[in-house]
Amino acid sequence: MVELTTQQHAIAASNDAAAMALRIVAEAARLMGAPRLIPIASAHIDGALYHGDSGTLFAERLVAGGARVAVRATLNVGALAPAGCAAIRLPPHERDMAARMMRAYEAMGCEPSWTCAPYQAGHRPALGSDVAWGESNAVVFCNSVLGARTNRYGDFLDIACAIAGVAPDYGLHRPENRIATLLIDTNGLSPRLRASDVFYPVLGTILGRAAGTSVAVIDGLQGCTTEDRLKALGAASASAGGVGLFHVAGVTPEAPDAATALGHLPPRETLTLTPDLVQQALAGLSTAGSTERVDAVAIGSPHLSLAEIDEVERLLAGRKLKVPLYANTGRHVQRPLEAQGRRSALERAGVIFVVDTCVVVTPILPDIPGAVLMTNSGKFAHYAPGTTGYAVTYGSLAECVESAVAGRLVRERQAWS
């Protein structure tokens, strides 16, 4: 039985949209075995991405009932790109319903951020605060890197929590469930590898497969990480498994060292990474085989940061692309690029910006038989074959840029040891 306050009982007994939202949250709490509802500081809404008419009709019913979010609520990617220039190939009915859905969520007071990386767009809840976030990479980053507390709130429960201002008290909201039980030791790998961007999606894939939904602490990355590397690590782990929280010893806020992250208990399991294990995981991210064919390059899942755009510009060095490079990012990156004249320069080189959405959640990539997509994203590598029909070749950002310039696969020597 879920305990509700007198005020919550009164709200739930009424007939407006706020009552419906509270009843949804209370019923979810009951199903999850949560004893009570807890106040939240913010929400990140994944349910505004169009998957069918029912989602649009649900959002519009909330609007008709006067629903407004009670806390700060940012929006994950939508199915359209009103702020970008990528061509969306949705049929007219689906396009209309997707647009209606996006308008409905904005009408409820959600911020039109339209990004899967709200933490890089100014939405960074405080350490230890309870929030209700959707979108797997956002959830794992929020828990792991920011140290806020959220479960993975799925479509429609996320907006219900935002309207009600509360979430079920269970799972990763509770301190005892944030203690690591799996230790991943990377100390045996070369410092060069641990300090390379290309390693982190591979490590995330290993983490996701080894941990599932368990909490792990990774040792040996002190002095090697950046926020973008942790972003890539978390996104791959949440795609390859159900990871909602990981710790990095000496890096993330709840892990000053591995012992603290483990609750000063011995790990239930220890995984020591070897070059062979890393090579196996690396090979598994590519489904295109040994072909040199590259029909498109896609980067930015999670959405590209300004620092990552800077690196693309540096690698491109004024050259033209022979195959399109789809740069998926948010409005928070697009605006400064436009103000500085950098977006148009990149577009002239052949970069296609995808803003407010991404190539794996809505039809953007051309329909090409036997097509191959190259990416540096572990998340794209996991989802693109199923959602786009393209086979995938995984590589570093430098390899992605060089391949787009050459119009075929270009490999660089990597230190996978």
Side-chain angles (χ1 to χ4, degrees):
M1 184 68 177
V2 181
E3 296 178 10
L4 298 182
T5 67
T6 301
Q7 182 183 18
Q8 288 169 345
H9 275 295
I11 293 172
S14 64
N15 293 316
D16 60 7
M20 182 171 71
L22 183 58
R23 290 196 296 268
I24 290 171
V25 178
E27 179 63 11
R30 184 188 69 80
L31 292 171
M32 297 297 178
R36 65 187 66 81
L37 306 180
I38 53 174
I40 56 171
S42 73
H44 180 63
I45 309 301
D46 191 33
L49 173 62
Y50 175 77
H51 292 297
D53 290 1
S54 60
T56 300
L57 298 176
F58 173 75
E60 290 180 335
R61 179 177 174 184
L62 289 173
V63 173
R68 297 283 297 181
V69 294
V71 297
R72 181 182 187 183
T74 47
L75 288 167
N76 196 48
V77 295
L80 301 177
C85 64
I88 308 295
R89 298 188 294 108
L90 279 176
H93 174 76
E94 286 80 358
R95 179 182 292 271
D96 176 62
M97 294 299 281
R100 283 169 54 181
M101 172 178 272
M102 294 172 79
R103 290 195 298 268
Y105 277 90
E106 290 185 8
M108 285 186 274
C110 298
E111 297 177 22
S113 51
W114 302 113
T115 180
C116 57
Y119 43 85
Q120 293 188 326
H123 189 179
R124 300 173 74 93
L127 175 68
S129 61
D130 289 294
V131 298
W133 280 31
E135 212 292 320
S136 61
N137 106 82
V139 167
V140 72
F141 190 98
C142 183
N143 277 313
S144 308
V145 183
L146 301 181
R149 299 178 179 184
T150 183
N151 295 306
R152 189 184 296 193
Y153 287 95
D155 292 2
F156 315 137
L157 179 56
D158 50 13
I159 188 62
C161 289
I163 293 166
V166 292
D169 182 16
Y170 81 104
L172 294 174
H173 289 292
R174 304 182 71 89
E176 63 270 22
N177 295 329
R178 300 177 69 85
I179 296 171
T181 58
L182 167 65
L183 172 64
I184 298 181
D185 185 356
T186 69
N187 286 288
L189 303 176
S190 72
R192 179 185 170 193
L193 177 59
R194 284 178 281 161
S196 66
D197 292 342
V198 72
F199 171 59
Y200 285 82
V202 181
L203 175 59
T205 300
I206 295 169
L207 168 61
R209 291 173 179 167
T213 58
S214 300
V215 178
V217 57
I218 306 169
D219 193 32
L221 299 182
Q222 297 89 334
C224 299
T225 64
T226 65
E227 185 165 291
D228 282 324
R229 289 171 183 169
L230 294 173
K231 175 179 73 172
L233 166 60
S237 72
S239 301
V243 174
L245 165 66
F246 65 86
H247 303 291
V248 179
V251 176
T252 55
E254 296 172 74
D257 50 48
T260 302
L262 289 161
H264 300 284
L265 297 171
R268 295 178 192 168
E269 182 182 358
T270 298
L271 175 61
T272 301
L273 296 195
T274 64
D276 285 347
L277 185 59
V278 174
Q279 284 277 10
Q280 291 171 17
L282 170 67
L285 287 174
S286 296
T287 62
S290 59
T291 182
E292 290 191 351
R293 178 175 175 176
V294 175
D295 296 280
V297 174
I299 59 176
S301 182
H303 274 169
L304 294 169
S305 66
L306 272 173
E308 289 170 313
I309 296 287
D310 292 344
E311 183 65 7
V312 170
E313 287 178 313
R314 188 190 69 80
L315 292 166
L316 193 53
R319 295 174 294 170
K320 302 287 187 181
L321 304 177
K322 288 187 178 178
V323 300
L325 187 153
Y326 293 86
N328 300 264
T329 191
R331 298 179 180 193
H332 61 288
V333 169
Q334 176 205 29
R335 291 188 188 107
L337 288 177
E338 289 183 341
Q340 298 160 13
R342 297 164 63 192
R343 174 175 171 173
S344 59
L346 285 165
E347 288 174 330
R348 286 193 298 271
V351 174
I352 299 174
F353 280 95
V354 181
V355 182
D356 293 344
T357 187
C358 86
V359 299
V360 299
V361 300
T362 199
I364 292 175
L365 298 176
D367 188 6
I368 303 172
V372 175
L373 178 72
M374 188 169 187
T375 186
N376 69 333
S377 163
K379 188 169 184 177
F380 272 164
H382 285 289
Y383 290 133
T387 61
T388 70
Y390 281 50
V392 167
T393 295
Y394 175 78
S396 68
L397 181 59
E399 290 172 332
C400 285
V401 172
E402 291 303 320
S403 298
V405 169
R408 59 173 177 78
L409 179 63
V410 176
R411 288 294 193 195
E412 294 184 332
R413 188 164 177 262
Q414 299 288 344
W416 293 101
S417 59

PDB file of all heavy atoms in Angstrom, residues 305-325:
ATOM      1  N   SER A 305      28.601  17.777 -28.014  1.00  0.00           N
ATOM      2  CA  SER A 305      28.899  18.989 -27.256  1.00  0.00           C
ATOM      3  C   SER A 305      29.658  19.959 -28.151  1.00  0.00           C
ATOM      4  O   SER A 305      30.140  19.597 -29.234  1.00  0.00           O
ATOM      5  CB  SER A 305      29.752  18.649 -26.034  1.00  0.00           C
ATOM      6  OG  SER A 305      31.036  18.183 -26.449  1.00  0.00           O
ATOM      7  N   LEU A 306      29.806  21.190 -27.683  1.00  0.00           N
ATOM      8  CA  LEU A 306      30.613  22.158 -28.423  1.00  0.00           C
ATOM      9  C   LEU A 306      32.059  21.691 -28.563  1.00  0.00           C
ATOM     10  O   LEU A 306      32.696  21.888 -29.600  1.00  0.00           O
ATOM     11  CB  LEU A 306      30.571  23.521 -27.725  1.00  0.00           C
ATOM     12  CG  LEU A 306      29.429  24.453 -28.127  1.00  0.00           C
ATOM     13  CD1 LEU A 306      29.418  25.681 -27.229  1.00  0.00           C
ATOM     14  CD2 LEU A 306      29.530  24.865 -29.594  1.00  0.00           C
ATOM     15  N   ALA A 307      32.570  21.056 -27.511  1.00  0.00           N
ATOM     16  CA  ALA A 307      33.945  20.557 -27.570  1.00  0.00           C
ATOM     17  C   ALA A 307      34.102  19.502 -28.655  1.00  0.00           C
ATOM     18  O   ALA A 307      35.137  19.443 -29.342  1.00  0.00           O
ATOM     19  CB  ALA A 307      34.358  19.988 -26.214  1.00  0.00           C
ATOM     20  N   GLU A 308      33.094  18.676 -28.844  1.00  0.00           N
ATOM     21  CA  GLU A 308      33.161  17.654 -29.882  1.00  0.00           C
ATOM     22  C   GLU A 308      33.063  18.280 -31.276  1.00  0.00           C
ATOM     23  O   GLU A 308      33.720  17.819 -32.218  1.00  0.00           O
ATOM     24  CB  GLU A 308      32.073  16.613 -29.655  1.00  0.00           C
ATOM     25  CG  GLU A 308      32.353  15.740 -28.438  1.00  0.00           C
ATOM     26  CD  GLU A 308      31.189  14.857 -28.044  1.00  0.00           C
ATOM     27  OE1 GLU A 308      30.045  15.363 -27.965  1.00  0.00           O
ATOM     28  OE2 GLU A 308      31.409  13.660 -27.803  1.00  0.00           O
ATOM     29  N   ILE A 309      32.248  19.324 -31.426  1.00  0.00           N
ATOM     30  CA  ILE A 309      32.202  20.048 -32.702  1.00  0.00           C
ATOM     31  C   ILE A 309      33.563  20.688 -32.993  1.00  0.00           C
ATOM     32  O   ILE A 309      34.050  20.682 -34.130  1.00  0.00           O
ATOM     33  CB  ILE A 309      31.105  21.120 -32.683  1.00  0.00           C
ATOM     34  CG1 ILE A 309      29.709  20.468 -32.554  1.00  0.00           C
ATOM     35  CG2 ILE A 309      31.175  21.998 -33.924  1.00  0.00           C
ATOM     36  CD1 ILE A 309      29.230  19.771 -33.794  1.00  0.00           C
ATOM     37  N   ASP A 310      34.183  21.252 -31.955  1.00  0.00           N
ATOM     38  CA  ASP A 310      35.526  21.821 -32.119  1.00  0.00           C
ATOM     39  C   ASP A 310      36.482  20.784 -32.695  1.00  0.00           C
ATOM     40  O   ASP A 310      37.292  21.076 -33.585  1.00  0.00           O
ATOM     41  CB  ASP A 310      36.079  22.313 -30.776  1.00  0.00           C
ATOM     42  CG  ASP A 310      35.345  23.521 -30.221  1.00  0.00           C
ATOM     43  OD1 ASP A 310      34.621  24.177 -30.982  1.00  0.00           O
ATOM     44  OD2 ASP A 310      35.502  23.793 -29.014  1.00  0.00           O
ATOM     45  N   GLU A 311      36.399  19.560 -32.183  1.00  0.00           N
ATOM     46  CA  GLU A 311      37.293  18.496 -32.637  1.00  0.00           C
ATOM     47  C   GLU A 311      36.992  18.096 -34.074  1.00  0.00           C
ATOM     48  O   GLU A 311      37.910  17.823 -34.855  1.00  0.00           O
ATOM     49  CB  GLU A 311      37.188  17.294 -31.700  1.00  0.00           C
ATOM     50  CG  GLU A 311      38.125  16.137 -32.014  1.00  0.00           C
ATOM     51  CD  GLU A 311      39.594  16.479 -31.858  1.00  0.00           C
ATOM     52  OE1 GLU A 311      39.933  17.583 -31.377  1.00  0.00           O
ATOM     53  OE2 GLU A 311      40.430  15.649 -32.253  1.00  0.00           O
ATOM     54  N   VAL A 312      35.705  18.071 -34.444  1.00  0.00           N
ATOM     55  CA  VAL A 312      35.345  17.782 -35.837  1.00  0.00           C
ATOM     56  C   VAL A 312      35.967  18.825 -36.769  1.00  0.00           C
ATOM     57  O   VAL A 312      36.552  18.489 -37.803  1.00  0.00           O
ATOM     58  CB  VAL A 312      33.812  17.737 -36.008  1.00  0.00           C
ATOM     59  CG1 VAL A 312      33.428  17.678 -37.485  1.00  0.00           C
ATOM     60  CG2 VAL A 312      33.224  16.545 -35.270  1.00  0.00           C
ATOM     61  N   GLU A 313      35.849  20.101 -36.400  1.00  0.00           N
ATOM     62  CA  GLU A 313      36.440  21.171 -37.214  1.00  0.00           C
ATOM     63  C   GLU A 313      37.958  21.002 -37.340  1.00  0.00           C
ATOM     64  O   GLU A 313      38.531  21.178 -38.422  1.00  0.00           O
ATOM     65  CB  GLU A 313      36.127  22.530 -36.593  1.00  0.00           C
ATOM     66  CG  GLU A 313      34.689  22.977 -36.760  1.00  0.00           C
ATOM     67  CD  GLU A 313      34.429  24.296 -36.084  1.00  0.00           C
ATOM     68  OE1 GLU A 313      34.847  24.460 -34.918  1.00  0.00           O
ATOM     69  OE2 GLU A 313      33.809  25.173 -36.716  1.00  0.00           O
ATOM     70  N   ARG A 314      38.594  20.651 -36.233  1.00  0.00           N
ATOM     71  CA  ARG A 314      40.052  20.487 -36.256  1.00  0.00           C
ATOM     72  C   ARG A 314      40.449  19.345 -37.172  1.00  0.00           C
ATOM     73  O   ARG A 314      41.397  19.461 -37.963  1.00  0.00           O
ATOM     74  CB  ARG A 314      40.566  20.230 -34.841  1.00  0.00           C
ATOM     75  CG  ARG A 314      42.080  20.224 -34.714  1.00  0.00           C
ATOM     76  CD  ARG A 314      42.536  19.720 -33.357  1.00  0.00           C
ATOM     77  NE  ARG A 314      42.288  18.299 -33.176  1.00  0.00           N
ATOM     78  CZ  ARG A 314      43.064  17.330 -33.677  1.00  0.00           C
ATOM     79  NH1 ARG A 314      44.128  17.636 -34.423  1.00  0.00           N
ATOM     80  NH2 ARG A 314      42.781  16.068 -33.458  1.00  0.00           N
ATOM     81  N   LEU A 315      39.721  18.238 -37.097  1.00  0.00           N
ATOM     82  CA  LEU A 315      40.038  17.073 -37.925  1.00  0.00           C
ATOM     83  C   LEU A 315      39.718  17.322 -39.396  1.00  0.00           C
ATOM     84  O   LEU A 315      40.435  16.856 -40.286  1.00  0.00           O
ATOM     85  CB  LEU A 315      39.253  15.856 -37.417  1.00  0.00           C
ATOM     86  CG  LEU A 315      39.662  15.317 -36.041  1.00  0.00           C
ATOM     87  CD1 LEU A 315      38.610  14.349 -35.514  1.00  0.00           C
ATOM     88  CD2 LEU A 315      41.026  14.629 -36.113  1.00  0.00           C
ATOM     89  N   LEU A 316      38.651  18.052 -39.643  1.00  0.00           N
ATOM     90  CA  LEU A 316      38.250  18.320 -41.017  1.00  0.00           C
ATOM     91  C   LEU A 316      39.245  19.243 -41.719  1.00  0.00           C
ATOM     92  O   LEU A 316      39.553  19.067 -42.905  1.00  0.00           O
ATOM     93  CB  LEU A 316      36.847  18.933 -41.025  1.00  0.00           C
ATOM     94  CG  LEU A 316      36.101  19.014 -42.347  1.00  0.00           C
ATOM     95  CD1 LEU A 316      36.037  17.660 -43.037  1.00  0.00           C
ATOM     96  CD2 LEU A 316      34.699  19.557 -42.100  1.00  0.00           C
ATOM     97  N   ALA A 317      39.734  20.233 -40.997  1.00  0.00           N
ATOM     98  CA  ALA A 317      40.812  21.120 -41.487  1.00  0.00           C
ATOM     99  C   ALA A 317      40.502  21.728 -42.854  1.00  0.00           C
ATOM    100  O   ALA A 317      41.372  21.789 -43.737  1.00  0.00           O
ATOM    101  CB  ALA A 317      42.138  20.359 -41.530  1.00  0.00           C
ATOM    102  N   GLY A 318      39.242  22.143 -43.052  1.00  0.00           N
ATOM    103  CA  GLY A 318      38.883  22.845 -44.279  1.00  0.00           C
ATOM    104  C   GLY A 318      38.620  21.961 -45.476  1.00  0.00           C
ATOM    105  O   GLY A 318      38.348  22.467 -46.577  1.00  0.00           O
ATOM    106  N   ARG A 319      38.695  20.640 -45.331  1.00  0.00           N
ATOM    107  CA  ARG A 319      38.479  19.741 -46.471  1.00  0.00           C
ATOM    108  C   ARG A 319      36.990  19.495 -46.719  1.00  0.00           C
ATOM    109  O   ARG A 319      36.146  19.752 -45.866  1.00  0.00           O
ATOM    110  CB  ARG A 319      39.193  18.412 -46.206  1.00  0.00           C
ATOM    111  CG  ARG A 319      40.702  18.528 -46.132  1.00  0.00           C
ATOM    112  CD  ARG A 319      41.341  17.203 -45.731  1.00  0.00           C
ATOM    113  NE  ARG A 319      40.996  16.817 -44.366  1.00  0.00           N
ATOM    114  CZ  ARG A 319      41.267  15.617 -43.848  1.00  0.00           C
ATOM    115  NH1 ARG A 319      41.855  14.684 -44.592  1.00  0.00           N
ATOM    116  NH2 ARG A 319      40.943  15.356 -42.594  1.00  0.00           N
ATOM    117  N   LYS A 320      36.662  18.968 -47.883  1.00  0.00           N
ATOM    118  CA  LYS A 320      35.298  18.626 -48.258  1.00  0.00           C
ATOM    119  C   LYS A 320      35.053  17.133 -48.035  1.00  0.00           C
ATOM    120  O   LYS A 320      35.972  16.304 -48.154  1.00  0.00           O
ATOM    121  CB  LYS A 320      35.041  18.956 -49.730  1.00  0.00           C
ATOM    122  CG  LYS A 320      35.266  20.423 -50.095  1.00  0.00           C
ATOM    123  CD  LYS A 320      34.167  21.303 -49.541  1.00  0.00           C
ATOM    124  CE  LYS A 320      34.332  22.733 -50.064  1.00  0.00           C
ATOM    125  NZ  LYS A 320      33.297  23.635 -49.534  1.00  0.00           N
ATOM    126  N   LEU A 321      33.799  16.805 -47.738  1.00  0.00           N
ATOM    127  CA  LEU A 321      33.429  15.417 -47.510  1.00  0.00           C
ATOM    128  C   LEU A 321      32.915  14.774 -48.792  1.00  0.00           C
ATOM    129  O   LEU A 321      32.197  15.417 -49.564  1.00  0.00           O
ATOM    130  CB  LEU A 321      32.344  15.335 -46.432  1.00  0.00           C
ATOM    131  CG  LEU A 321      32.664  15.982 -45.088  1.00  0.00           C
ATOM    132  CD1 LEU A 321      31.462  15.865 -44.158  1.00  0.00           C
ATOM    133  CD2 LEU A 321      33.888  15.350 -44.456  1.00  0.00           C
ATOM    134  N   LYS A 322      33.233  13.501 -48.979  1.00  0.00           N
ATOM    135  CA  LYS A 322      32.707  12.750 -50.117  1.00  0.00           C
ATOM    136  C   LYS A 322      31.431  11.998 -49.765  1.00  0.00           C
ATOM    137  O   LYS A 322      30.650  11.646 -50.648  1.00  0.00           O
ATOM    138  CB  LYS A 322      33.767  11.776 -50.646  1.00  0.00           C
ATOM    139  CG  LYS A 322      34.908  12.471 -51.376  1.00  0.00           C
ATOM    140  CD  LYS A 322      35.838  11.475 -52.021  1.00  0.00           C
ATOM    141  CE  LYS A 322      36.948  12.198 -52.793  1.00  0.00           C
ATOM    142  NZ  LYS A 322      37.911  11.224 -53.401  1.00  0.00           N
ATOM    143  N   VAL A 323      31.232  11.693 -48.488  1.00  0.00           N
ATOM    144  CA  VAL A 323      29.957  11.141 -48.027  1.00  0.00           C
ATOM    145  C   VAL A 323      29.465  12.025 -46.893  1.00  0.00           C
ATOM    146  O   VAL A 323      30.266  12.656 -46.188  1.00  0.00           O
ATOM    147  CB  VAL A 323      30.081   9.664 -47.564  1.00  0.00           C
ATOM    148  CG1 VAL A 323      30.556   8.775 -48.698  1.00  0.00           C
ATOM    149  CG2 VAL A 323      31.007   9.542 -46.374  1.00  0.00           C
ATOM    150  N   PRO A 324      28.160  12.116 -46.704  1.00  0.00           N
ATOM    151  CA  PRO A 324      27.639  13.035 -45.686  1.00  0.00           C
ATOM    152  C   PRO A 324      27.994  12.600 -44.273  1.00  0.00           C
ATOM    153  O   PRO A 324      28.019  11.408 -43.955  1.00  0.00           O
ATOM    154  CB  PRO A 324      26.125  12.994 -45.908  1.00  0.00           C
ATOM    155  CG  PRO A 324      25.873  11.698 -46.604  1.00  0.00           C
ATOM    156  CD  PRO A 324      27.087  11.439 -47.442  1.00  0.00           C
ATOM    157  N   LEU A 325      28.285  13.581 -43.451  1.00  0.00           N
ATOM    158  CA  LEU A 325      28.510  13.352 -42.023  1.00  0.00           C
ATOM    159  C   LEU A 325      27.362  14.013 -41.284  1.00  0.00           C
ATOM    160  O   LEU A 325      27.214  15.241 -41.304  1.00  0.00           O
ATOM    161  CB  LEU A 325      29.851  13.929 -41.578  1.00  0.00           C
ATOM    162  CG  LEU A 325      30.292  13.628 -40.140  1.00  0.00           C
ATOM    163  CD1 LEU A 325      31.813  13.644 -40.034  1.00  0.00           C
ATOM    164  CD2 LEU A 325      29.709  14.603 -39.138  1.00  0.00           C
TER     165      LEU A 325
END
